[in-house]
Amino acid sequence: MILEIVSPEATLFKGEVTSVSVPGVNGEFQMLNNHAPIVSLLAKGNVKINAQNIKIEKEFVSKFNKVNEQTYWLPINSGTIEMNENKIIVLAD
């Protein structure tokens, strides 16, 4: 599935991922391949990205926390997420 993380300044990440966990306003939830369509508000927390080959542009690497070669976390204050047809768009603040 494709994940795109967009901030007010730029697109921070766009690429193929295996799973994404986000801090929903009612608690953290995870999306895997073929997840049902969803739109949700996000709370303060971490967007957790899992993928085989995560490639983050050099100018945005400092915004992410590397857990291991396949996992990165992006701290956010709030946002919105939409998943539809294996494409996830996170509008993060």
Side-chain angles (χ1 to χ4, degrees):
M1 69 190 157
I2 301 295
L3 170 65
E4 187 172 352
I5 301 175
V6 181
S7 75
E9 298 84 31
T11 298
L12 303 177
F13 176 83
K14 185 172 184 179
E16 184 77 25
V17 298
T18 54
S19 71
V20 178
S21 296
V22 293
V25 291
N26 293 320
E28 184 174 316
F29 62 95
Q30 181 181 50
M31 289 153 290
L32 301 169
N33 202 27
N34 296 317
H35 192 284
I38 187 170
V39 174
S40 179
L41 294 175
L42 300 177
K44 185 173 185 168
N46 291 304
V47 176
K48 300 172 185 173
I49 305 166
N50 292 297
Q52 293 298 323
N53 294 311
I54 297 176
K55 294 178 183 164
I56 299 171
E57 292 184 33
K58 290 180 184 179
E59 61 193 283
F60 303 124
V61 167
S62 64
K63 295 184 179 288
F64 291 81
N65 298 315
K66 182 177 181 178
V67 177
N68 58 45
E69 291 300 320
Q70 298 179 345
T71 306
Y72 281 78
W73 290 9
L74 173 67
I76 63 168
N77 291 316
S78 63
T80 305
I81 187 167
E82 176 186 12
M83 178 167 185
N84 192 17
E85 297 179 3
N86 283 331
K87 182 170 183 182
I88 303 167
I89 299 173
V90 175
L91 303 176
D93 186 28

